[in-house]
Structures are given as C-alpha cells and as structure tokens.
Amino acid sequence: MSVAPPQGHGASRGPAHERRIALFGGTFDPIHVGHLAVARAAERRFRLDEIHFIPTGRPPHKHRGGMASYADRYAMVTLACADHPRFIASLAESGPGHSGREVYYSVETVRHFKQKFHGTETHLYFLLGADSFLHLPSWKDYESLLGLCDFIVASRPGFRVEALRLVIPPELFGRRGAAHAPLDPRAIVLRRTSVYVLDTVSSHVSATEVRERLDRNESIHGLVPPRVEEYITKQALYR
C-alpha cells in the first residue's frame, strides 16, 4: 500500500536543489531483506535522495561473540546496495585504516554528516527501528541526538506511537503550531526536530534468524539479497 509523503518541514519536496539524506546505521550482521524493505519504504514516503547504510565498527551496546569482521559486513552492505542507485554503503564508522575497531556513537556520526553537508541545502534524517528507538535513553547524549536531525522510526503493524513518546524527555517536546512543525498528525513534534513513524514495513526477517539458520546449515534463500547469500556462502560466514 502506498503512503503519501508527510507534509511540512523536512517532508515536502522543497527547493529543487535540496537533498534529503537518511542515515541508516547498524551492525548489518548480515544485512537482510528486512533492512532493504525499511529503506525502500522510507525512500518512497520521504522522497529521499540518498540513504547511507553505515555499518558500525565495534558496537557500543552489543557484545555478541562471533560477529563477522567489519570488512565482511561492509562488503555485504556494498553488495546489497549495488542495485539501488540511492543506497550508499558508508565507511563513516570504519575508523583508522578502515579497520572497524573503533567504537562510534550515533550522536558523533550525525554531527560528522552535519559538518560534511554544512552550507548545503541538505535535510538529514536518522532511520532506525522502533525497538532501537525505545532503547534511546541508553545511547550516549541521546538528548543532543534528538535535536540534531529528524527521525524516521520504522515500526511493526499495530505499534503504538505513544510508546515512542515515553522515552523522550518532556523538556524536548515542542508545540505543533511551531514554525517547523509538520502537518503529519502522527509525527512527534520536538523543539527543533520531528519524529516520524514509518508503519508500512511488515518484514519479520532478523539477522539473528539468518545466522541461526546458517549455523544449522539451513537455507537462507530469500532472507538476504542474492549477492549477499553468494558472498556468505563463498566466505563460509556464520558457520
């Protein structure tokens, strides 16, 4: 089902030279069709010009052993993005020598991109899943992060927007009548930014399921892009 793009600040097309860029971070261990479904839905609804897929180097919140190397995860993201002209595999969190050994925090990454596009007609969005957003209070400087750019939160069918409001400090909320406020009735209006809900995604694929199927020598056909499946097979990952 197609969804009309939200109206108002950061959502209508605006000047012809304005670019809309979403930052989509994660371990991508491995990247799967659910990630791509979210990105395509966000691209359509928000008329995004670019979506930067940013594999994290050493994730600050995940300590699972057996994670694929940064080089392998970045390679899989690159393969997954190859057929999508607006999808870009980013080295923003690769660290010195692209080793992927450094810990990067989302607030630092967003600031990096804001500096990179400073002085240009660029509108930044931060794309993430609803479950990740609900854990936002555990992120470094999350109050600052919420004020840096608009958020696109991909939710499952039936997800209640009110749950997102509960993790946002009350002092960050803005007024719907503010100059920057979107007309989207489901958007959460903050003092300087807005949080949009993307509820058109129903994929139930998870990276955990992909890894577990591989560990049991079961097929992952259809769960990851064909090029990623081929790469995993050739590199004997997650076995």
Side-chain angles (χ1 to χ4, degrees):
M1 180 179 69
S2 61
V3 177
Q7 301 298 310
H9 176 76
S12 59
R13 177 49 79 180
H17 59 280
E18 181 186 62
R19 290 191 303 166
R20 281 195 195 81
I21 296 177
L23 310 179
F24 190 10
T27 53
F28 297 120
D29 189 35
I31 190 169
H32 53 71
V33 295
H35 293 129
L36 298 179
V38 166
R40 285 194 296 267
E43 177 192 4
R44 289 191 301 269
R45 182 177 174 193
F46 294 87
R47 301 178 184 177
L48 299 173
D49 296 290
E50 297 174 3
I51 300 179
H52 291 244
F53 287 71
I54 309 172
T56 188
R58 189 159 62 90
H61 298 293
K62 296 184 179 180
H63 305 285
R64 178 181 57 80
M67 180 181 294
S69 71
Y70 179 85
D72 283 326
R73 291 184 289 114
Y74 177 75
M76 289 187 284
V77 167
T78 300
L79 291 170
C81 292
D83 294 328
H84 304 274
R86 298 183 189 274
F87 294 1
I88 298 171
S90 172
L91 289 166
E93 296 188 0
S94 63
H98 303 314
S99 66
R101 295 174 183 168
E102 299 289 326
V103 171
Y104 283 86
Y105 296 94
S106 296
V107 66
E108 299 167 349
T109 300
V110 174
R111 284 176 177 149
H112 163 77
F113 277 93
K114 285 182 73 72
Q115 179 62 36
K116 177 179 179 179
F117 296 122
H118 179 70
T120 67
E121 292 290 339
T122 302
H123 192 95
L124 280 182
Y125 296 87
F126 193 94
L127 175 60
L128 75 169
D131 290 341
S132 294
F133 191 94
L134 294 179
H135 288 94
L136 210 62
S138 68
W139 294 21
K140 180 181 178 181
D141 294 340
Y142 82 102
E143 298 98 332
S144 298
L145 176 61
L146 283 167
L148 290 175
C149 64
D150 285 349
F151 279 68
I152 301 172
V153 181
S155 70
R156 300 174 301 276
F159 183 83
R160 296 178 60 83
V161 179
E162 290 75 12
L164 304 181
R165 295 179 180 274
L166 295 177
V167 302
I168 301 173
E171 62 271 19
L172 296 186
F173 286 102
R175 294 179 295 106
R176 185 160 292 277
H180 79 278
L183 298 180
D184 182 349
R186 297 190 66 204
I188 299 173
V189 181
L190 305 183
R191 291 170 59 186
R192 289 184 291 176
T193 59
S194 297
V195 177
Y196 297 96
V197 178
L198 181 68
D199 53 5
T200 60
V201 182
S202 59
S203 174
H204 298 288
V205 181
S206 71
T208 300
E209 177 189 3
V210 173
R211 294 192 303 268
E212 288 177 348
R213 291 181 69 90
L214 287 165
D215 187 56
R216 298 193 298 264
N217 291 316
E218 296 176 1
S219 172
I220 58 168
H221 185 70
L223 302 182
V224 298
R227 293 182 184 182
V228 173
E229 181 180 2
E230 181 181 0
Y231 184 90
I232 290 173
T233 300
K234 287 184 176 180
Q235 301 297 323
L237 299 180
Y238 312 112
R239 298 182 187 277

Coordinates of all heavy atoms in Angstrom, one line a residue, residues 54-58 68-75 78 89-104 112:
I54 N 25.3 2.6 7.2 CA 26.5 2.8 7.9 C 26.8 1.6 8.9 O 26.3 1.5 10.0 CB 26.4 4.1 8.8 CG1 26.0 5.2 7.9 CG2 27.8 4.4 9.4 CD1 25.7 6.5 8.7
P55 N 27.6 0.6 8.4 CA 27.9 -0.5 9.3 C 28.8 0.0 10.5 O 29.7 0.8 10.3 CB 28.8 -1.4 8.4 CG 28.5 -1.0 7.0 CD 28.2 0.5 7.1
T56 N 28.4 -0.3 11.7 CA 29.2 0.1 12.8 C 30.5 -0.7 13.0 O 30.5 -1.8 12.5 CB 28.4 0.0 14.1 OG1 29.1 0.6 15.2 CG2 28.1 -1.4 14.5
G57 N 31.5 0.0 13.5 CA 32.7 -0.8 13.7 C 32.6 -1.7 14.9 O 32.3 -2.9 14.7
R58 N 32.8 -1.2 16.1 CA 32.7 -2.0 17.3 C 31.5 -1.4 18.0 O 31.6 -0.4 18.7 CB 33.9 -1.9 18.2 CG 33.9 -2.9 19.3 CD 35.4 -3.2 19.8 NE 36.0 -2.0 20.3 CZ 36.0 -1.5 21.5 NH1 35.3 -2.2 22.4 NH2 36.7 -0.5 21.9
A68 N 30.7 -11.1 12.4 CA 31.5 -11.1 11.2 C 32.4 -9.8 11.2 O 32.1 -8.8 11.9 CB 30.7 -11.0 9.9
S69 N 33.6 -9.9 10.6 CA 34.5 -8.8 10.6 C 33.9 -7.6 9.9 O 32.9 -7.7 9.1 CB 35.8 -9.2 9.8 OG 35.5 -9.3 8.4
Y70 N 34.5 -6.4 10.2 CA 33.9 -5.2 9.6 C 34.1 -5.3 8.1 O 33.1 -4.9 7.4 CB 34.7 -4.0 10.1 CG 34.2 -2.7 9.5 CD1 33.1 -2.0 10.0 CD2 34.8 -2.2 8.3 CE1 32.6 -0.9 9.4 CE2 34.3 -1.0 7.7 CZ 33.2 -0.4 8.2 OH 32.8 0.7 7.6
A71 N 35.2 -5.8 7.6 CA 35.4 -5.9 6.1 C 34.3 -6.7 5.5 O 33.8 -6.4 4.4 CB 36.8 -6.5 5.8
D72 N 33.9 -7.8 6.1 CA 32.8 -8.7 5.6 C 31.5 -8.0 5.6 O 30.7 -8.0 4.7 CB 32.8 -10.0 6.3 CG 33.9 -11.0 5.9 OD1 34.3 -11.0 4.7 OD2 34.3 -11.8 6.8
R73 N 31.2 -7.3 6.8 CA 29.9 -6.7 6.9 C 29.8 -5.5 5.9 O 28.7 -5.3 5.3 CB 29.7 -6.2 8.3 CG 29.5 -7.4 9.3 CD 29.2 -6.9 10.7 NE 30.4 -6.4 11.4 CZ 30.5 -5.1 11.8 NH1 29.5 -4.3 11.6 NH2 31.6 -4.7 12.4
Y74 N 30.9 -4.8 5.7 CA 30.8 -3.7 4.8 C 30.7 -4.2 3.4 O 29.9 -3.6 2.5 CB 32.1 -2.8 4.9 CG 32.2 -1.7 3.9 CD1 31.4 -0.6 4.0 CD2 33.0 -1.8 2.7 CE1 31.4 0.4 3.1 CE2 33.0 -0.8 1.8 CZ 32.2 0.3 2.0 OH 32.3 1.3 1.0
A75 N 31.4 -5.3 3.0 CA 31.3 -5.9 1.7 C 29.8 -6.3 1.4 O 29.3 -6.1 0.3 CB 32.2 -7.1 1.6
T78 N 27.7 -3.3 0.7 CA 28.0 -2.8 -0.6 C 27.3 -3.6 -1.7 O 26.7 -3.1 -2.6 CB 29.5 -2.8 -0.9 OG1 30.2 -2.0 0.1 CG2 29.9 -2.3 -2.3
A89 N 26.7 2.6 0.5 CA 27.5 1.9 1.6 C 28.5 2.9 2.1 O 29.3 3.5 1.4 CB 28.2 0.7 1.1
S90 N 28.4 3.2 3.4 CA 29.2 4.3 4.0 C 30.3 3.7 4.9 O 30.1 2.7 5.7 CB 28.3 5.2 4.9 OG 29.1 6.1 5.6
L91 N 31.5 4.3 4.9 CA 32.6 4.0 5.7 C 32.7 4.9 6.9 O 33.8 5.0 7.6 CB 33.9 4.1 4.9 CG 34.1 3.0 3.9 CD1 35.3 3.3 2.9 CD2 34.4 1.6 4.5
A92 N 31.7 5.7 7.2 CA 31.7 6.7 8.2 C 32.1 6.2 9.6 O 32.7 6.9 10.4 CB 30.4 7.4 8.3
E93 N 31.9 4.9 9.9 CA 32.3 4.4 11.2 C 33.3 3.3 11.1 O 33.4 2.4 12.0 CB 31.0 3.8 11.9 CG 30.0 4.9 12.3 CD 28.9 4.5 13.2 OE1 28.9 3.3 13.5 OE2 28.0 5.3 13.5
S94 N 34.1 3.3 10.0 CA 35.1 2.3 9.8 C 36.4 2.6 10.6 O 37.1 1.6 10.9 CB 35.5 2.3 8.3 OG 36.1 3.5 7.9
G95 N 36.6 3.8 11.0 CA 37.8 4.1 11.9 C 39.1 4.2 11.1 O 39.1 4.0 9.9
P96 N 40.2 4.4 11.8 CA 41.5 4.5 11.2 C 41.9 3.3 10.4 O 41.7 2.1 10.8 CB 42.5 4.7 12.4 CG 41.6 5.2 13.5 CD 40.2 4.6 13.3
G97 N 42.3 3.5 9.1 CA 42.6 2.4 8.3 C 41.5 1.5 7.9 O 41.7 0.4 7.4
H98 N 40.2 2.0 8.1 CA 39.0 1.2 7.9 C 39.1 -0.2 8.6 O 38.6 -1.2 8.0 CB 38.8 1.0 6.3 CG 38.8 2.3 5.6 ND1 38.0 3.4 6.0 CD2 39.4 2.7 4.4 CE1 38.2 4.4 5.1 NE2 39.0 4.0 4.2
S99 N 39.6 -0.2 9.8 CA 39.7 -1.4 10.5 C 38.5 -1.9 11.2 O 38.3 -3.0 11.5 CB 40.8 -1.3 11.6 OG 40.4 -0.3 12.6
G100 N 37.6 -0.9 11.4 CA 36.3 -1.2 12.1 C 36.5 -1.6 13.6 O 35.7 -2.2 14.2
R101 N 37.6 -1.1 14.2 CA 37.9 -1.5 15.6 C 37.5 -0.4 16.6 O 37.5 -0.6 17.8 CB 39.4 -1.8 15.7 CG 39.9 -3.0 14.9 CD 41.4 -3.1 15.0 NE 41.9 -4.2 14.2 CZ 43.1 -4.4 13.9 NH1 44.1 -3.6 14.3 NH2 43.5 -5.4 13.1
E102 N 37.1 0.7 16.1 CA 36.7 1.8 17.0 C 35.2 1.8 17.3 O 34.4 1.3 16.6 CB 37.0 3.2 16.3 CG 38.5 3.4 15.9 CD 39.3 3.6 17.1 OE1 38.8 4.3 18.1 OE2 40.5 3.2 17.1
V103 N 34.9 2.3 18.5 CA 33.5 2.5 18.9 C 33.1 3.9 18.5 O 33.7 4.9 18.7 CB 33.4 2.4 20.5 CG1 32.0 2.8 20.9 CG2 33.7 1.0 20.9
Y104 N 32.0 3.9 17.8 CA 31.4 5.2 17.3 C 30.0 5.3 17.9 O 29.2 4.3 18.0 CB 31.3 5.3 15.8 CG 32.6 5.6 15.1 CD1 33.5 4.6 14.8 CD2 33.0 6.9 14.8 CE1 34.7 4.8 14.2 CE2 34.2 7.2 14.2 CZ 35.1 6.1 14.0 OH 36.3 6.4 13.4
H112 N 29.1 14.4 12.4 CA 30.0 14.3 11.2 C 29.3 14.6 9.9 O 29.8 15.4 9.1 CB 30.6 12.9 11.2 CG 31.2 12.5 9.9 ND1 32.5 13.0 9.5 CD2 30.8 11.8 8.8 CE1 32.8 12.5 8.3 NE2 31.7 11.8 7.9

